[in-house]
Amino acid sequence: MSEPIIDIRDLSKFYGKARGIEHVNLEIGVGEIFGFIGPNGAGKSTTIRILMNMIFPTSGSAKIMGMDVIKETKKIKSQVGYIPSDANAYSSMVVQEFLRYCARFYEIQDGEQRITELSELFELDLKRKIDDLSMGNRKKVSIVQSLLHNPKLLILDEPTTGLDPLMQSKFFELLRSENRKGMTIFYSSHILSEVQMLCKRVAIIKDGKIIQMEDIETLRKKQLKKVHAEFRDQVREETFSITGITSVITGPGNILSFMYSGDINELVRLLSANKMINLMIEEPSLDEIFMHYYK
Amino acid sequence: MNRNLFFKEMRRNALSLILWMIVVSLLISGTMSIYGTFLENQSKVIGMMSLIPKGALQFKGISNLNNLVSVLGFYAVNNVIYMMVLGSIFAIVLSSNILLKEEYNKTAEYLLTRPLTRSEIYFSKLAVLFLHIFLLNLVAALAGFISVEIVKTGPFSIKAFFTLCTYTLLLNILFGTIGLFLSILVKRAKPITTFCIGIVLVFYFIYTLSKITDSVSAIGYVSPFKYVNVEAFRPGYALDLWHLAYFIGISMVLTGLSYRLYQRKDIYT
């Protein structure tokens, strides 16, 4: 991989004694669409806020495009777009006035054209006061402002909150199109289906620590299988207490469902020791993979 | 300093500034308009006021009833109070909100993710703050000056008038820097407006208490109001260097400390 566009090394943040993130390491390559998933409070926003120099790390370092996020924040931000999870634009401003205000911070040649183009795409009424907008429309304003200056890197923190499915679809299409033009996307979310649809690689954060970093496909396929086995006779859960079997659920009609990570031959040997009526081994959804890692 | 941010902040606070300007100007000119009537009935009014306990007059800033007879004395007692207290409230309310508002209104995530350094944000906001305080004082001074010119019965010292205005400006700036400093100390974004107004009123109360009670006069020195010399009617009235150093020194220290703290402040929304 060439020089990573985001390079986080041993990054920790504590709020007094409370943990924000601990020893986070991340490398994101130029042109990637990278997913950053974890539940609320896992440390996603803390990581992003350090990258955007809103908060300062307790230890460790972070670089964007080879520049230190603290020392060279101005240069970095001129090339980064950011969609916050829960931010209010200046409520007394009209949408157009706010977007023009945002655009003036950058050296944009075709600012007005870009505002019109993006607003039309998201069906955003430029003449309305921000205070009068619904949550979804405010999110559209947030999306538009982040893309005005054609950033090289786009950082998104739970970007689809409030967007209807049609707009989400348009938004994802726009992200894919911008990515094809070379934009790197760092997509933080707790909605796994979104990450699955969009991202090529993903990091899972839990309790402030990165617990897994994989290609989406690898993560999906990596040994973890979802198994449903139906037996002729009743079987005891304890029979299946081998390494790799987790989340065992006993269903009606002697059905046993569980997640399995390990040698599939060993599993089949174990299962076939009992008379089976049916066996189904399938790819787990990302949600299920996610839950597996969160146990 | 960033011009885009500066002009946006100027526009954002313009309406509030205009309203303050109107209110202060009306209060000043309204009060000065009764000076003529006061002079016509001065013996009756002074006689009546002499029945009021000395402490109560001191509380109103009147140390000697005869001071009211001179137009500057009348202006100082009746009008400076508006700019001393109201101007300081304006300054502290504006300053305590100018950075903090971005946090509790959740707009900081837009501001801090622009290509700006913390220094640029800080100095743009500081410039807006100082300019607003200056403009309010300028309008108040002009309203006062015009009123004094209209109601005067004899010459008065213009130098003394503007010295008085300078004191008021310095006091307002000092409270502005106190508000700014306090807002930067706030860890979790929430407004501190009421608390800041309370600070101005408590300092004013300490100042008046020190004036009316000899036994506690020393506590007046903790209040910035103590360092404003309002006796503009006295001959040789000028800016006291030590008082000047006090206002400028504390304002600069607070501005510098606020700057240092803001550079490393964790901004939450």
Side-chain angles (χ1 to χ4, degrees), chain B residues 105-155:
Chain B
N105 277 351
K106 296 177 179 254
T107 51
E109 291 206 64
Y110 286 118
L111 179 63
L112 290 165
T113 51
R114 301 292 152 214
L116 294 168
T117 59
R118 291 273 178 112
S119 302
E120 284 175 311
I121 295 171
Y122 180 81
F123 286 114
S124 303
K125 299 262 188 179
L126 192 70
V128 172
L129 171 67
F130 284 168
L131 189 57
H132 271 65
I133 295 173
F134 176 76
L135 289 174
L136 181 67
N137 275 267
L138 182 70
V139 168
L142 285 174
F145 187 74
I146 293 165
S147 304
V148 169
E149 276 290 341
I150 292 169
V151 301
K152 72 178 181 186
T153 52

Side-chain angles (χ1 to χ4, degrees), chain A residues 13 15 49 52-56 74 77 82 84 86-90 101-102 104-106 142 145, chain B residues 2 4-5 8 102 105-107 109-110 112-115 118 120 263-269:
Chain A
K13 173 70 181 175
Y15 303 103
R49 283 180 178 154
M52 299 311 291
N53 193 225
M54 284 184 267
I55 58 174
F56 292 85
K74 186 175 176 173
K77 286 170 189 169
Y82 172 63
D86 178 28
N88 292 334
Y90 301 95
Y101 165 67
C102 292
R104 277 196 294 270
F105 284 108
Y106 307 92
S142 185
Q145 64 78 31
Chain B
N2 181 276
N4 190 24
L5 177 59
K8 195 213 111 236
E102 301 277 2
N105 277 351
K106 296 177 179 254
T107 51
E109 291 206 64
Y110 286 118
L112 290 165
T113 51
R114 301 292 152 214
R118 291 273 178 112
E120 284 175 311
Q263 290 295 308
R264 297 291 301 181
K265 186 182 181 186
D266 282 345
I267 310 280
Y268 306 102
T269 55

Side-chain angles (χ1 to χ4, degrees), chain A residues 38 40 44 83-85 139 156-161 188-191:
Chain A
N40 296 331
K44 301 188 300 294
I83 301 177
S85 59
K139 189 57 99 174
L156 310 96
D157 191 4
E158 309 280 359
T160 54
T161 321
S188 166
S189 177
H190 69 275
I191 304 168

Side-chain angles (χ1 to χ4, degrees), chain B residues 234-269:
Chain B
R234 289 199 188 282
Y237 175 73
L239 281 171
D240 182 295
L241 272 183
W242 284 110
H243 290 185
L244 198 63
Y246 165 86
F247 283 116
I248 294 175
I250 294 185
S251 299
M252 282 178 71
V253 167
L254 288 175
T255 307
L257 277 175
S258 303
Y259 173 73
R260 295 283 297 176
L261 291 172
Y262 189 65
Q263 290 295 308
R264 297 291 301 181
K265 186 182 181 186
D266 282 345
I267 310 280
Y268 306 102
T269 55

Side-chain angles (χ1 to χ4, degrees), chain A residues 99-241:
Chain A
L99 293 175
R100 280 177 179 162
Y101 165 67
C102 292
R104 277 196 294 270
F105 284 108
Y106 307 92
E107 289 162 16
I108 308 173
Q109 301 296 322
D110 53 350
E112 280 300 311
Q113 194 190 326
R114 186 83 174 140
I115 290 172
T116 313
E117 197 179 282
L118 288 166
S119 306
E120 279 172 4
L121 180 69
F122 286 103
E123 297 160 25
L124 192 59
D125 185 351
L126 290 171
K127 304 289 176 205
R128 287 188 71 185
K129 208 172 164 186
I130 289 171
D131 209 18
D132 300 334
L133 297 180
S134 65
M135 192 187 171
N137 279 322
R138 283 181 197 214
K139 189 57 99 174
K140 289 180 194 173
V141 174
S142 185
I143 293 168
V144 172
Q145 64 78 31
S146 75
L147 294 166
L148 287 175
H149 55 297
N150 291 306
K152 286 183 183 162
L153 169 67
L154 185 63
I155 296 178
L156 310 96
D157 191 4
E158 309 280 359
T160 54
T161 321
L163 284 185
D164 61 54
L166 189 68
M167 275 303 149
Q168 276 190 32
S169 161
K170 270 190 184 179
F171 176 50
F172 284 170
E173 196 39 58
L174 177 71
L175 290 180
R176 285 190 197 100
S177 147
E178 293 293 335
N179 176 247
R180 281 193 292 273
K181 289 182 209 160
M183 185 189 284
T184 307
I185 294 166
F186 182 75
Y187 193 103
S188 166
S189 177
H190 69 275
I191 304 168
L192 301 163
S193 54
E194 287 181 4
V195 175
Q196 198 170 9
M197 267 193 279
L198 198 69
C199 301
K200 305 269 190 310
R201 212 155 65 96
V202 65
I204 300 173
I205 186 167
K206 176 193 179 186
D207 298 334
K209 290 177 183 165
I210 303 280
I211 54 163
Q212 193 76 12
M213 190 144 56
E214 294 287 1
D215 288 341
I216 282 275
E217 286 309 309
T218 313
L219 189 70
R220 208 197 308 256
K221 287 174 186 164
K222 193 180 175 184
Q223 296 172 331
L224 194 67
K225 305 287 177 196
K226 190 176 173 183
V227 181
H228 303 278
E230 189 179 354
F231 298 94
R232 193 185 65 189
D233 307 311
Q234 192 171 8
V235 287
R236 288 168 53 215
E237 264 187 54
E238 292 77 22
T239 318
F240 300 96
S241 57

